[in-house]
Amino acid sequence: MLNTFIVTESLIPAMENYFAEEWYKQDFRRLNVPIMRRAGVMVEQDFAGEDEFKTLDFYQSQERFGLRWSAIVGFSSGDDLLAFALQRRIKDGPYSREEARNLYRIRQKLMITARIMRDISASEVKGMAAAFEMANVACVFFDRMGHVTTVNEKMRRLLGPDLQITQGQMRPVRKDDANAFDRQLKAILGEENLLTMAEPDILLLSRKGRRPLIVRMQRLDGDMQDIFCHSCAFATIEDPEEKVHQRPATLTKLFGLTRAEAEIALMLAQGMTLHDIAAQRTVSYQTARAHLKSIYRKTDTNRQPELSLLLAGIRMG
C-alpha cells in the first residue's frame, strides 16, 4: 500500500511499519478529521497531550521511530478530502501557531492547484467520452472510489430496467451481476493493478428476454499517486443485439472498392448468397461473381467467412 502514497525518504521506515502493522486503521488523528475540515490545518496539540502520548499504542508505535509532532493540511479535489502531513521528531518539538498560519496560506495555493489539475483531468475524460461517442461505443468512467463520473450519450441509451445508475454507482439489477461488477471494478482500481496493462476481462450483464450486455473494464493510465485525477478507470459496454448501420463509403475509402463492390461486400458480410445478391440487384450471376473476385482481391481475402470477419472488425456506424 505504501506505493499509493507520496512519501519522503526520511519517513519510509516509519510508513512501512505504519502499513505493515495496520496503524492506518487505528490512527488516533483520524478521529479528529472534523477539526481539519473546519480549520484547514491541524497540529498535534489541537487534539493530543501528554496523557495520549503516554497511554495510546498509536503514539508508542511512533515513538519507536522518534516521531510525534505532526501538522496536517487538508485540501479538496472534487469530492475527495486530500491531505499532506508534516512529521517532526520528538526532540524537535511541536509546530507553532505561526507555522500553522503559514501552512494555511500554503493550503490556499494547494486548493487552487488541485482545482486546476482536476479540471484538466476532467477535460481529458470528456474528450475520451466524446471520442467513444464518435466511434459509436458506450462508455462510463469511474473515480478511485468506484463512483460514476462521466457517461456518454451512447451509454445513457443502454440504461434501463436491467442497468441503472443509482446514487452515483453503476448498478446491474440482478444481484449476481451487481456483485460481479463490483468485484471486477474494485480489482481494476486496486493496488495490484497499478502497473498492470493486461487485456481487459469480459463481464456479461444479464437482461430479461435479451442477450447480455458485454462489459470491458480498464484502468486509465497513471496510478493512485495521481491524486488530482478526475477518473481512474472506465468501462465500455456493447449491446450484441444492436444493428450496426454500415456505410459503403467507408469501404470505398478503406479498400478502394467501387460503390457497387462496397454494397455487395456488405451484403455478403450479412450472410447473403451470391445468387440472392444478383437477384436483389437485378444483375446476372456472372456480373455479381466478377464483383466478388474484385472484392476479394482488393480486401486481400479469399472466402466469404473471411470477408465477413474482416468487415465485422470495422466500425462503420
Side-chain angles (χ1 to χ4, degrees):
M1 185 177 288
L2 181 58
N3 63 352
T4 67
F5 286 76
I6 302 173
V7 182
T8 58
E9 187 174 349
S10 61
L11 275 180
I12 288 178
M15 289 297 288
E16 286 177 341
N17 176 75
Y18 183 80
F19 289 110
E21 298 188 4
E22 297 189 337
W23 288 110
Y24 62 93
K25 295 182 179 179
Q26 40 190 323
D27 189 329
F28 178 69
R29 295 170 297 187
R30 291 178 59 184
L31 301 176
N32 299 279
V33 166
I35 295 176
M36 184 173 61
R37 287 186 180 275
R38 289 194 305 269
V41 176
M42 68 178 185
V43 293
E44 208 78 42
Q45 59 268 35
D46 286 336
F47 51 84
E50 287 301 324
D51 287 344
E52 285 77 19
F53 300 150
K54 291 178 180 178
T55 60
L56 295 180
D57 291 341
F58 169 71
Y59 285 108
Q60 297 301 309
S61 72
Q62 284 199 314
E63 191 171 329
R64 287 154 49 192
F65 297 92
L67 301 174
R68 174 170 297 168
W69 308 104
S70 63
I72 302 177
V73 180
F75 58 103
S76 297
S77 174
D79 296 330
D80 288 342
L81 175 63
L82 306 176
F84 76 86
L86 301 172
Q87 192 77 49
R88 276 183 178 170
R89 293 170 294 182
I90 297 174
K91 65 180 182 179
D92 294 329
Y95 285 87
S96 68
R97 294 300 172 190
E98 179 60 28
E99 288 172 319
R101 284 191 288 271
N102 289 336
L103 288 172
Y104 185 83
R105 286 190 282 271
I106 293 173
R107 173 183 179 267
Q108 301 302 101
K109 298 182 184 298
L110 284 171
M111 295 278 284
I112 295 171
T113 301
R115 192 173 300 114
I116 292 172
M117 294 294 291
R118 189 176 178 85
D119 287 346
I120 292 173
S121 177
S123 295
E124 292 175 348
V125 169
K126 185 178 180 180
M128 290 180 65
F132 278 124
E133 186 73 27
M134 291 179 64
N136 200 33
V137 176
C139 68
V140 54
F141 291 80
F142 305 93
D143 65 16
R144 64 171 55 85
M145 302 303 295
H147 295 130
V148 174
T149 59
T150 302
V151 298
N152 64 1
E153 287 303 315
K154 176 78 172 179
M155 180 66 239
R156 292 185 193 279
R157 292 193 290 272
L158 288 180
L159 298 176
D162 300 302
L163 182 63
Q164 303 169 359
I165 296 177
T166 305
Q167 296 181 337
Q169 294 186 312
M170 183 70 73
R171 301 304 303 172
V173 172
R174 290 189 70 250
K175 185 176 180 180
D176 290 347
D177 288 349
N179 290 338
F181 189 94
D182 287 344
R183 283 195 301 270
Q184 187 157 329
L185 182 56
K186 287 178 181 177
I188 292 293
L189 292 171
E191 178 187 355
E192 63 273 13
N193 276 284
L194 291 179
L195 302 177
T196 299
M197 297 297 291
E199 186 74 15
D201 292 331
I202 292 177
L203 179 67
L204 300 181
L205 301 182
S206 304
R207 294 187 293 177
K208 187 175 181 179
R210 303 177 64 185
R211 292 180 181 175
L213 295 172
I214 303 169
V215 181
R216 295 177 176 86
M217 293 187 197
Q218 196 165 350
R219 283 189 69 92
L220 289 170
D221 290 341
D223 58 37
M224 295 295 280
Q225 292 186 7
D226 186 4
I227 57 177
F228 304 112
C229 64
H230 174 272
S231 301
C232 297
F234 70 96
T236 59
I237 302 183
E238 179 183 347
D239 183 355
E241 295 185 356
E242 179 185 14
K243 294 182 179 179
V244 178
H245 301 290
Q246 298 174 321
R247 298 174 182 171
T250 303
L251 298 185
T252 62
K253 289 184 178 181
L254 190 59
F255 298 111
L257 302 181
T258 65
R259 175 75 184 192
E261 289 169 348
E263 291 175 351
I264 291 173
L266 293 175
M267 296 169 81
L268 287 165
Q270 293 167 5
M272 294 181 64
T273 68
L274 200 56
H275 285 287
D276 292 336
I277 292 172
Q280 184 168 320
R281 295 182 63 84
T282 62
V283 297
S284 69
Y285 176 80
Q286 293 304 321
T287 298
R289 184 173 175 79
H291 283 311
L292 178 61
K293 289 182 179 179
S294 180
I295 292 168
Y296 284 160
R297 176 175 53 81
K298 292 179 180 179
T299 59
D300 195 25
T301 55
N302 296 296
R303 296 178 300 138
Q304 186 172 348
E306 189 179 350
L307 177 65
S308 297
L309 284 173
L310 173 66
L311 300 190
I314 303 171
R315 287 191 175 272
M316 291 174 277

